[in-house]
Amino acid sequence: MSDLPMSDLRMSELNRRLEELEVRLTFLDDTVSALAAADAEQAMRLVALERVLHDLRAELASLRTAQGSDPHSEPPPPHY
């Protein structure tokens, strides 16, 4: 092969491939952004659920105390 400049056909193919890669990169960037947003939303929901669970456990403990029943001091059920 000689040292002639790249043929127009080869340049056209390289440009087409470059454009395809740029489109794919844009799609991947959008996907990563969407996943990051979903991850942040899930993290906030998890924190909220943990807070609710903590509050429910505290409420259950106070109800048990108010009734005077400690689950650890109760005898085991009859099937034991």
Side-chain angles (χ1 to χ4, degrees):
M1 189 165 190
S2 64
D3 290 334
L4 296 175
M6 277 196 248
S7 70
D8 288 340
L9 185 59
R10 182 157 165 79
M11 278 301 287
S12 175
E13 174 65 16
L14 289 175
N15 284 333
R16 185 194 63 76
R17 290 178 66 193
L18 180 60
E19 285 179 24
E20 182 181 322
L21 288 172
E22 288 173 340
V23 168
R24 291 176 70 187
L25 179 60
T26 300
F27 175 76
L28 288 173
D29 283 343
D30 291 345
T31 302
V32 168
S33 294
L35 288 172
D39 182 52
E41 181 183 342
Q42 290 296 321
M44 289 189 302
R45 293 179 73 185
L46 179 61
V47 168
L49 288 171
E50 287 173 339
R51 190 177 316 118
V52 168
L53 178 61
H54 178 268
D55 293 347
L56 287 172
R57 284 181 173 164
E59 184 179 344
L60 179 61
S62 69
L63 287 173
R64 284 181 174 161
T65 303
Q67 288 181 341
S69 65
D70 180 12
H72 300 291
S73 65
E74 292 182 10
H79 64 277
Y80 276 102

